[in-house]
PDB file of all heavy atoms in Angstrom:
ATOM      1  N   ILE A  63       7.563   0.348  -2.941  1.00 91.00           N
ATOM      2  CA  ILE A  63       6.383   1.149  -2.598  1.00 91.00           C
ATOM      3  C   ILE A  63       6.539   1.745  -1.204  1.00 91.00           C
ATOM      4  O   ILE A  63       6.216   2.917  -0.962  1.00 91.00           O
ATOM      5  CB  ILE A  63       5.112   0.281  -2.704  1.00 91.00           C
ATOM      6  CG1 ILE A  63       4.890  -0.161  -4.152  1.00 91.00           C
ATOM      7  CG2 ILE A  63       3.904   1.032  -2.167  1.00 91.00           C
ATOM      8  CD1 ILE A  63       3.730  -1.109  -4.348  1.00 91.00           C
ATOM      9  N   VAL A  64       7.053   0.946  -0.270  1.00 91.00           N
ATOM     10  CA  VAL A  64       7.249   1.437   1.093  1.00 91.00           C
ATOM     11  C   VAL A  64       8.244   2.593   1.109  1.00 91.00           C
ATOM     12  O   VAL A  64       8.020   3.623   1.759  1.00 91.00           O
ATOM     13  CB  VAL A  64       7.723   0.284   2.005  1.00 91.00           C
ATOM     14  CG1 VAL A  64       8.196   0.822   3.351  1.00 91.00           C
ATOM     15  CG2 VAL A  64       6.600  -0.721   2.211  1.00 91.00           C
ATOM     16  N   VAL A  65       9.339   2.444   0.378  1.00 92.00           N
ATOM     17  CA  VAL A  65      10.338   3.516   0.333  1.00 92.00           C
ATOM     18  C   VAL A  65       9.723   4.777  -0.265  1.00 92.00           C
ATOM     19  O   VAL A  65       9.948   5.889   0.232  1.00 92.00           O
ATOM     20  CB  VAL A  65      11.569   3.063  -0.484  1.00 92.00           C
ATOM     21  CG1 VAL A  65      12.516   4.227  -0.721  1.00 92.00           C
ATOM     22  CG2 VAL A  65      12.289   1.936   0.240  1.00 92.00           C
ATOM     23  N   PHE A  66       8.944   4.621  -1.334  1.00 92.00           N
ATOM     24  CA  PHE A  66       8.317   5.781  -1.969  1.00 92.00           C
ATOM     25  C   PHE A  66       7.376   6.494  -0.999  1.00 92.00           C
ATOM     26  O   PHE A  66       7.363   7.733  -0.910  1.00 92.00           O
ATOM     27  CB  PHE A  66       7.558   5.331  -3.227  1.00 92.00           C
ATOM     28  CG  PHE A  66       6.850   6.445  -3.934  1.00 92.00           C
ATOM     29  CD1 PHE A  66       7.545   7.297  -4.773  1.00 92.00           C
ATOM     30  CD2 PHE A  66       5.491   6.643  -3.750  1.00 92.00           C
ATOM     31  CE1 PHE A  66       6.895   8.329  -5.426  1.00 92.00           C
ATOM     32  CE2 PHE A  66       4.827   7.674  -4.392  1.00 92.00           C
ATOM     33  CZ  PHE A  66       5.538   8.518  -5.236  1.00 92.00           C
ATOM     34  N   ILE A  67       6.585   5.721  -0.276  1.00 93.00           N
ATOM     35  CA  ILE A  67       5.635   6.327   0.665  1.00 93.00           C
ATOM     36  C   ILE A  67       6.376   7.032   1.796  1.00 93.00           C
ATOM     37  O   ILE A  67       6.037   8.164   2.169  1.00 93.00           O
ATOM     38  CB  ILE A  67       4.689   5.245   1.227  1.00 93.00           C
ATOM     39  CG1 ILE A  67       3.773   4.710   0.116  1.00 93.00           C
ATOM     40  CG2 ILE A  67       3.856   5.796   2.382  1.00 93.00           C
ATOM     41  CD1 ILE A  67       2.901   3.550   0.550  1.00 93.00           C
ATOM     42  N   MET A  68       7.411   6.388   2.330  1.00 93.00           N
ATOM     43  CA  MET A  68       8.114   6.969   3.471  1.00 93.00           C
ATOM     44  C   MET A  68       8.910   8.211   3.084  1.00 93.00           C
ATOM     45  O   MET A  68       9.224   9.041   3.941  1.00 93.00           O
ATOM     46  CB  MET A  68       9.044   5.927   4.091  1.00 93.00           C
ATOM     47  CG  MET A  68       8.308   4.725   4.679  1.00 93.00           C
ATOM     48  SD  MET A  68       7.113   5.188   5.954  1.00 93.00           S
ATOM     49  CE  MET A  68       8.192   5.839   7.212  1.00 93.00           C
ATOM     50  N   ASN A  69       9.241   8.350   1.812  1.00 89.00           N
ATOM     51  CA  ASN A  69       9.959   9.534   1.357  1.00 89.00           C
ATOM     52  C   ASN A  69       9.035  10.658   0.905  1.00 89.00           C
ATOM     53  O   ASN A  69       9.520  11.725   0.518  1.00 89.00           O
ATOM     54  CB  ASN A  69      10.911   9.172   0.206  1.00 89.00           C
ATOM     55  CG  ASN A  69      12.089   8.344   0.682  1.00 89.00           C
ATOM     56  OD1 ASN A  69      12.490   8.415   1.831  1.00 89.00           O
ATOM     57  ND2 ASN A  69      12.644   7.544  -0.216  1.00 89.00           N
ATOM     58  N   SER A  70       7.743  10.411   0.924  1.00 91.00           N
ATOM     59  CA  SER A  70       6.804  11.436   0.475  1.00 91.00           C
ATOM     60  C   SER A  70       6.716  12.568   1.493  1.00 91.00           C
ATOM     61  O   SER A  70       6.999  12.394   2.686  1.00 91.00           O
ATOM     62  CB  SER A  70       5.414  10.818   0.265  1.00 91.00           C
ATOM     63  OG  SER A  70       4.898  10.316   1.486  1.00 91.00           O
ATOM     64  N   ALA A  71       6.302  13.728   1.034  1.00 90.00           N
ATOM     65  CA  ALA A  71       6.250  14.916   1.891  1.00 90.00           C
ATOM     66  C   ALA A  71       5.259  14.767   3.045  1.00 90.00           C
ATOM     67  O   ALA A  71       5.582  15.159   4.180  1.00 90.00           O
ATOM     68  CB  ALA A  71       5.914  16.142   1.042  1.00 90.00           C
ATOM     69  N   PRO A  72       4.048  14.227   2.838  1.00 93.00           N
ATOM     70  CA  PRO A  72       3.119  14.100   3.978  1.00 93.00           C
ATOM     71  C   PRO A  72       3.658  13.205   5.091  1.00 93.00           C
ATOM     72  O   PRO A  72       3.523  13.534   6.277  1.00 93.00           O
ATOM     73  CB  PRO A  72       1.861  13.500   3.339  1.00 93.00           C
ATOM     74  CG  PRO A  72       1.944  13.864   1.898  1.00 93.00           C
ATOM     75  CD  PRO A  72       3.394  13.832   1.568  1.00 93.00           C
ATOM     76  N   VAL A  73       4.276  12.073   4.729  1.00 94.00           N
ATOM     77  CA  VAL A  73       4.816  11.179   5.748  1.00 94.00           C
ATOM     78  C   VAL A  73       5.992  11.828   6.457  1.00 94.00           C
ATOM     79  O   VAL A  73       6.141  11.729   7.683  1.00 94.00           O
ATOM     80  CB  VAL A  73       5.216   9.836   5.120  1.00 94.00           C
ATOM     81  CG1 VAL A  73       5.923   8.951   6.141  1.00 94.00           C
ATOM     82  CG2 VAL A  73       3.993   9.119   4.569  1.00 94.00           C
ATOM     83  N   ALA A  74       6.856  12.510   5.704  1.00 93.00           N
ATOM     84  CA  ALA A  74       7.989  13.199   6.317  1.00 93.00           C
ATOM     85  C   ALA A  74       7.513  14.269   7.288  1.00 93.00           C
ATOM     86  O   ALA A  74       8.085  14.438   8.373  1.00 93.00           O
ATOM     87  CB  ALA A  74       8.871  13.812   5.235  1.00 93.00           C
ATOM     88  N   ALA A  75       6.441  14.975   6.924  1.00 93.00           N
ATOM     89  CA  ALA A  75       5.907  15.998   7.820  1.00 93.00           C
ATOM     90  C   ALA A  75       5.309  15.370   9.076  1.00 93.00           C
ATOM     91  O   ALA A  75       5.483  15.896  10.189  1.00 93.00           O
ATOM     92  CB  ALA A  75       4.855  16.825   7.084  1.00 93.00           C
ATOM     93  N   ALA A  76       4.630  14.232   8.913  1.00 93.00           N
ATOM     94  CA  ALA A  76       4.042  13.557  10.078  1.00 93.00           C
ATOM     95  C   ALA A  76       5.129  13.067  11.027  1.00 93.00           C
ATOM     96  O   ALA A  76       5.020  13.207  12.247  1.00 93.00           O
ATOM     97  CB  ALA A  76       3.174  12.392   9.607  1.00 93.00           C
ATOM     98  N   LEU A  77       6.195  12.494  10.482  1.00 94.00           N
ATOM     99  CA  LEU A  77       7.300  12.033  11.320  1.00 94.00           C
ATOM    100  C   LEU A  77       8.022  13.207  11.976  1.00 94.00           C
ATOM    101  O   LEU A  77       8.482  13.100  13.126  1.00 94.00           O
ATOM    102  CB  LEU A  77       8.277  11.210  10.499  1.00 94.00           C
ATOM    103  CG  LEU A  77       7.803   9.790  10.136  1.00 94.00           C
ATOM    104  CD1 LEU A  77       8.767   9.142   9.155  1.00 94.00           C
ATOM    105  CD2 LEU A  77       7.663   8.935  11.389  1.00 94.00           C
ATOM    106  N   SER A  78       8.119  14.317  11.272  1.00 93.00           N
ATOM    107  CA  SER A  78       8.743  15.500  11.868  1.00 93.00           C
ATOM    108  C   SER A  78       7.952  15.986  13.067  1.00 93.00           C
ATOM    109  O   SER A  78       8.521  16.372  14.097  1.00 93.00           O
ATOM    110  CB  SER A  78       8.871  16.601  10.818  1.00 93.00           C
ATOM    111  OG  SER A  78       9.432  17.764  11.364  1.00 93.00           O
ATOM    112  N   ASN A  79       6.651  15.959  12.942  1.00 93.00           N
ATOM    113  CA  ASN A  79       5.816  16.339  14.084  1.00 93.00           C
ATOM    114  C   ASN A  79       5.953  15.363  15.244  1.00 93.00           C
ATOM    115  O   ASN A  79       5.733  15.723  16.399  1.00 93.00           O
ATOM    116  CB  ASN A  79       4.346  16.416  13.653  1.00 93.00           C
ATOM    117  CG  ASN A  79       4.089  17.539  12.666  1.00 93.00           C
ATOM    118  OD1 ASN A  79       4.795  18.550  12.679  1.00 93.00           O
ATOM    119  ND2 ASN A  79       3.074  17.375  11.818  1.00 93.00           N
ATOM    120  N   ASP A  80       6.350  14.126  14.908  1.00 91.00           N
ATOM    121  CA  ASP A  80       6.542  13.107  15.947  1.00 91.00           C
ATOM    122  C   ASP A  80       7.963  13.126  16.502  1.00 91.00           C
ATOM    123  O   ASP A  80       8.336  12.271  17.305  1.00 91.00           O
ATOM    124  CB  ASP A  80       6.230  11.724  15.352  1.00 91.00           C
ATOM    125  CG  ASP A  80       6.003  10.677  16.439  1.00 91.00           C
ATOM    126  OD1 ASP A  80       5.622  11.052  17.582  1.00 91.00           O
ATOM    127  OD2 ASP A  80       6.237   9.487  16.164  1.00 91.00           O
ATOM    128  N   GLY A  81       8.782  14.081  16.042  1.00 91.00           N
ATOM    129  CA  GLY A  81      10.131  14.228  16.568  1.00 91.00           C
ATOM    130  C   GLY A  81      11.207  13.513  15.781  1.00 91.00           C
ATOM    131  O   GLY A  81      12.350  13.431  16.228  1.00 91.00           O
ATOM    132  N   VAL A  82      10.861  13.002  14.592  1.00 93.00           N
ATOM    133  CA  VAL A  82      11.837  12.310  13.762  1.00 93.00           C
ATOM    134  C   VAL A  82      12.222  13.237  12.613  1.00 93.00           C
ATOM    135  O   VAL A  82      11.441  13.442  11.681  1.00 93.00           O
ATOM    136  CB  VAL A  82      11.282  10.982  13.210  1.00 93.00           C
ATOM    137  CG1 VAL A  82      12.340  10.262  12.387  1.00 93.00           C
ATOM    138  CG2 VAL A  82      10.795  10.101  14.351  1.00 93.00           C
ATOM    139  N   GLU A  83      13.418  13.793  12.669  1.00 87.00           N
ATOM    140  CA  GLU A  83      13.842  14.765  11.670  1.00 87.00           C
ATOM    141  C   GLU A  83      14.741  14.135  10.594  1.00 87.00           C
ATOM    142  O   GLU A  83      14.606  14.423   9.418  1.00 87.00           O
ATOM    143  CB  GLU A  83      14.603  15.919  12.337  1.00 87.00           C
ATOM    144  CG  GLU A  83      13.749  16.741  13.289  1.00 87.00           C
ATOM    145  CD  GLU A  83      12.722  17.595  12.560  1.00 87.00           C
ATOM    146  OE1 GLU A  83      12.833  17.751  11.327  1.00 87.00           O
ATOM    147  OE2 GLU A  83      11.798  18.100  13.223  1.00 87.00           O
ATOM    148  N   ASP A  84      15.663  13.300  10.999  1.00 92.00           N
ATOM    149  CA  ASP A  84      16.668  12.773  10.067  1.00 92.00           C
ATOM    150  C   ASP A  84      16.524  11.258   9.988  1.00 92.00           C
ATOM    151  O   ASP A  84      16.988  10.525  10.864  1.00 92.00           O
ATOM    152  CB  ASP A  84      18.070  13.160  10.548  1.00 92.00           C
ATOM    153  CG  ASP A  84      19.138  12.899   9.496  1.00 92.00           C
ATOM    154  OD1 ASP A  84      18.793  12.342   8.432  1.00 92.00           O
ATOM    155  OD2 ASP A  84      20.309  13.243   9.736  1.00 92.00           O
ATOM    156  N   TYR A  85      15.871  10.786   8.947  1.00 95.00           N
ATOM    157  CA  TYR A  85      15.681   9.348   8.757  1.00 95.00           C
ATOM    158  C   TYR A  85      15.764   9.036   7.271  1.00 95.00           C
ATOM    159  O   TYR A  85      15.531   9.892   6.411  1.00 95.00           O
ATOM    160  CB  TYR A  85      14.328   8.893   9.306  1.00 95.00           C
ATOM    161  CG  TYR A  85      13.157   9.267   8.426  1.00 95.00           C
ATOM    162  CD1 TYR A  85      12.669   8.377   7.473  1.00 95.00           C
ATOM    163  CD2 TYR A  85      12.561  10.520   8.515  1.00 95.00           C
ATOM    164  CE1 TYR A  85      11.604   8.717   6.645  1.00 95.00           C
ATOM    165  CE2 TYR A  85      11.503  10.874   7.708  1.00 95.00           C
ATOM    166  CZ  TYR A  85      11.029   9.972   6.771  1.00 95.00           C
ATOM    167  OH  TYR A  85       9.978  10.325   5.950  1.00 95.00           O
ATOM    168  N   THR A  86      16.108   7.812   6.953  1.00 95.00           N
ATOM    169  CA  THR A  86      16.082   7.314   5.583  1.00 95.00           C
ATOM    170  C   THR A  86      15.588   5.879   5.595  1.00 95.00           C
ATOM    171  O   THR A  86      15.775   5.143   6.578  1.00 95.00           O
ATOM    172  CB  THR A  86      17.476   7.366   4.912  1.00 95.00           C
ATOM    173  OG1 THR A  86      18.432   6.710   5.757  1.00 95.00           O
ATOM    174  CG2 THR A  86      17.914   8.789   4.673  1.00 95.00           C
ATOM    175  N   VAL A  87      14.973   5.489   4.492  1.00 95.00           N
ATOM    176  CA  VAL A  87      14.468   4.131   4.305  1.00 95.00           C
ATOM    177  C   VAL A  87      14.942   3.654   2.942  1.00 95.00           C
ATOM    178  O   VAL A  87      14.845   4.393   1.954  1.00 95.00           O
ATOM    179  CB  VAL A  87      12.933   4.086   4.391  1.00 95.00           C
ATOM    180  CG1 VAL A  87      12.428   2.661   4.193  1.00 95.00           C
ATOM    181  CG2 VAL A  87      12.454   4.630   5.734  1.00 95.00           C
ATOM    182  N   ALA A  88      15.488   2.440   2.887  1.00 94.00           N
ATOM    183  CA  ALA A  88      16.005   1.895   1.632  1.00 94.00           C
ATOM    184  C   ALA A  88      15.721   0.413   1.563  1.00 94.00           C
ATOM    185  O   ALA A  88      15.450  -0.236   2.590  1.00 94.00           O
ATOM    186  CB  ALA A  88      17.508   2.151   1.508  1.00 94.00           C
ATOM    187  N   THR A  89      15.791  -0.131   0.366  1.00 91.00           N
ATOM    188  CA  THR A  89      15.582  -1.563   0.164  1.00 91.00           C
ATOM    189  C   THR A  89      16.873  -2.227  -0.268  1.00 91.00           C
ATOM    190  O   THR A  89      17.690  -1.631  -0.973  1.00 91.00           O
ATOM    191  CB  THR A  89      14.519  -1.821  -0.914  1.00 91.00           C
ATOM    192  OG1 THR A  89      14.967  -1.277  -2.156  1.00 91.00           O
ATOM    193  CG2 THR A  89      13.197  -1.189  -0.542  1.00 91.00           C
ATOM    194  N   GLY A  90      17.072  -3.457   0.155  1.00 85.00           N
ATOM    195  CA  GLY A  90      18.198  -4.255  -0.299  1.00 85.00           C
ATOM    196  C   GLY A  90      19.534  -3.566  -0.115  1.00 85.00           C
ATOM    197  O   GLY A  90      19.905  -3.156   0.988  1.00 85.00           O
ATOM    198  N   GLN A  91      20.266  -3.398  -1.208  1.00 87.00           N
ATOM    199  CA  GLN A  91      21.586  -2.779  -1.186  1.00 87.00           C
ATOM    200  C   GLN A  91      21.525  -1.275  -1.463  1.00 87.00           C
ATOM    201  O   GLN A  91      22.545  -0.663  -1.759  1.00 87.00           O
ATOM    202  CB  GLN A  91      22.482  -3.449  -2.239  1.00 87.00           C
ATOM    203  CG  GLN A  91      22.687  -4.925  -2.020  1.00 87.00           C
ATOM    204  CD  GLN A  91      23.351  -5.220  -0.686  1.00 87.00           C
ATOM    205  OE1 GLN A  91      24.302  -4.542  -0.298  1.00 87.00           O
ATOM    206  NE2 GLN A  91      22.864  -6.236   0.013  1.00 87.00           N
TER     207      GLN A  91
END
């Protein structure tokens, strides 16, 4: 669920406004 939320467009846009352009979130392996 966390990965799904962090990959969503609204969260990506919010992080982009905060200066985070290139990030990824994954679980386990």
Side-chain angles (χ1 to χ4, degrees):
I63 296 175
V64 169
V65 171
F66 179 80
I67 293 174
M68 296 302 295
N69 289 334
S70 63
V73 174
L77 285 172
S78 178
N79 294 332
D80 197 25
V82 182
E83 296 289 346
D84 192 356
Y85 76 94
T86 52
V87 180
T89 62
Q91 300 299 317

